[in-house]
Amino acid sequence: MRKALQSLLHLKDPPHRTALAFGTGVFIAFSPLLGLHTVMAIATAFAFRLNRVAIIAGAWINAWALAPCYAFGTFMGAVLLGVDAGLLVELQIEHA
């Protein structure tokens, strides 16, 4: 059982393969296909035989960055369109 689990999770991979898996996960995390990050990460991990834990961790790292990215995007859109950004921020906080 232990050997099968280690084989499935690629726990014996060298550090550069683990870093490659994590970096690939981070790349997937910034995909605009929200909700499909986990599916894309698992499919990529199986296709390229990468560390599944590292690639999932990388794909989920964007959860911490979503709010600041969307807030900045909303602010920049408001500036470019000439809309009062304060009103947009109040509306976003109200709906959150």
Side-chain angles (χ1 to χ4, degrees):
M1 179 81 166
R2 174 179 263 172
K3 187 173 181 169
L5 187 62
Q6 285 180 343
S7 173
L8 180 66
L9 298 177
H10 291 268
L11 296 178
K12 301 274 185 184
D13 279 354
H16 71 275
R17 292 270 307 165
T18 304
L20 176 68
F22 185 78
T24 304
V26 171
F27 178 79
I28 290 170
F30 285 93
S31 163
L33 302 173
L34 294 175
L36 296 177
H37 295 142
T38 303
V39 173
M40 291 186 329
I42 291 172
T44 304
F46 276 102
F48 295 105
R49 296 183 178 191
L50 295 173
N51 185 323
R52 284 135 184 110
V53 174
I55 201 166
I56 292 293
W60 288 351
I61 197 111
N62 195 26
W64 299 105
L66 279 177
C69 285
Y70 284 142
F72 180 72
T74 302
F75 175 74
M76 288 305 296
V79 168
L80 292 173
L81 294 174
V83 178
D84 182 23
L87 176 63
L88 290 174
V89 172
E90 288 174 15
L91 288 174
Q92 285 179 346
I93 292 173
E94 208 172 271
H95 291 293

